[in-house]
C-alpha cells in the first residue's frame, strides 16, 4: 500500500471536512472555549500552565486567552494560598453556563453528523479516532524520551 498517497488523499478529504460543518466548532478544540471547558471540567482550581500544557499552546497565548475570559466575567484568577507563586483559575457561574451551552450545541452538531454516518460507520469512526489518539500519545512519549 502506498501510505504517502493515502496520506495525500487524507489531507485533501480532512481539509474539506474541516471546512464544512466542523469549521463552526473548530473553536471548541482551541481558544477561549477550549480553555474554559478544561477549567470547568477540572472543577476549577487549575493553573495557567496546566491549561497551556493541556491545549499545547504557549503561556503567552494562555495569558491572552485568560485575560479575555476574565474581561467577559467567565473566570476569576487568584493567588494560591498554599503557594503564593501559583495562580489559580476558577470558572464563574456565567463561564460555566457559557461553556455548558456551547458544549451542548457541539454535541448536537456532532450527534447529527454521526447519525448521518450511521451506526456501524459511527462506531468504526470513533474506534479509529481513539486508535489515532493512542498512536499520537505513544509517539509523543517516545519522542520525549529521546
Amino acid at each position: 500500500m502506498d501510505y504517502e498517497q493515502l496520506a495525500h488523499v487524507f489531507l485533501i478529504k480532512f481539509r474539506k471536512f474541516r471546512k464544512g460543518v466542523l469549521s463552526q466548532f473548530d473553536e471548541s478544540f482551541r481558544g477561549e472555549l477550549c480553555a474554559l471547558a478544561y477549567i470547568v471540567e477540572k472543577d476549577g482550581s487549575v493553573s495557567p500552565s496546566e491549561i497551556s500544557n493541556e491545549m499545547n499552546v504557549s503561556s503567552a497565548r494562555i495569558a491572552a486567552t485568560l485575560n479575555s475570559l476574565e474581561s467577559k466575567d467567565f473566570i476569576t484568577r487568584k493567588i494560591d494560598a498554599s503557594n503564593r507563586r501559583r495562580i489559580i483559575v476558577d470558572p464563574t457561574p456565567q463561564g460555566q453556563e457559557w461553556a455548558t451551552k456551547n458544549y451542548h450545541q457541539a454535541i448536537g452538531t456532532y450527534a447529527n453528523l454521526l447519525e448521518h454516518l450511521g451506526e456501524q460507520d459511527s462506531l468504526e469512526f470513533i474506534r479509529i479516532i481513539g486508535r489515532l489518539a493512542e498512536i499520537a500519545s505513544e509517539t509523543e512519549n517516545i519522542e520525549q524520551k529521546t
Side-chain angles (χ1 to χ4, degrees), residues 50-63:
E50 289 174 71
I51 302 166
S52 175
N53 289 338
E54 176 67 20
M55 293 177 59
N56 198 29
V57 297
S58 70
S59 58
R61 175 143 185 220
I62 289 302

Side-chain angles (χ1 to χ4, degrees), residues 1 3 15 26-27 35 38 48 53-54 58 63 76 80 86 89 106-107 115 129-130 134 141:
M1 175 173 273
Y3 286 105
R15 229 178 289 141
D26 199 32
E27 178 63 20
Y38 180 75
N53 289 338
E54 176 67 20
S58 70
T76 60
D80 186 345
R86 185 172 185 250
V89 182
I107 289 294
E115 186 177 342
I129 290 288
E134 289 172 9
N141 290 337

Side-chain angles (χ1 to χ4, degrees), residues 3-133:
Y3 286 105
E4 286 187 13
Q5 178 60 30
L6 195 57
H8 175 74
V9 172
F10 168 78
L11 287 175
I12 292 168
K13 292 189 181 283
F14 192 72
R15 229 178 289 141
K16 288 181 181 177
F17 176 65
R18 284 195 65 206
K19 210 173 176 183
V21 176
L22 189 61
S23 67
Q24 63 185 308
F25 290 100
D26 199 32
E27 178 63 20
S28 66
F29 298 110
R30 56 184 175 82
E32 291 182 7
L33 183 55
C34 183
L36 186 58
Y38 180 75
I39 295 164
V40 169
E41 177 185 308
K42 294 294 182 182
D43 292 325
S45 299
V46 298
S47 70
S49 63
E50 289 174 71
I51 302 166
S52 175
N53 289 338
E54 176 67 20
M55 293 177 59
N56 198 29
V57 297
S58 70
S59 58
R61 175 143 185 220
I62 289 302
T65 299
L66 293 179
N67 287 339
S68 178
L69 288 170
E70 192 170 41
S71 74
K72 294 174 182 174
D73 200 28
F74 287 167
I75 63 157
T76 60
R77 289 185 273 194
K78 63 184 178 199
I79 296 174
D80 186 345
S82 63
N83 180 353
R84 299 199 44 81
R85 295 174 295 170
R86 185 172 185 250
I87 300 293
I88 297 296
V89 182
D90 287 302
T92 64
Q94 297 92 319
Q96 286 181 314
E97 183 180 320
W98 187 70
T100 300
K101 179 185 123 220
N102 281 281
Y103 174 79
H104 289 298
Q105 187 177 15
I107 289 294
T109 297
Y110 294 137
N112 188 36
L113 285 173
L114 293 170
E115 186 177 342
H116 279 83
L117 196 54
E119 183 177 352
Q120 184 176 355
D121 286 344
S122 292
L123 292 171
E124 187 66 4
F125 175 70
I126 297 301
R127 184 192 69 76
I128 291 169
I129 290 288
R131 183 66 182 121
L132 287 171

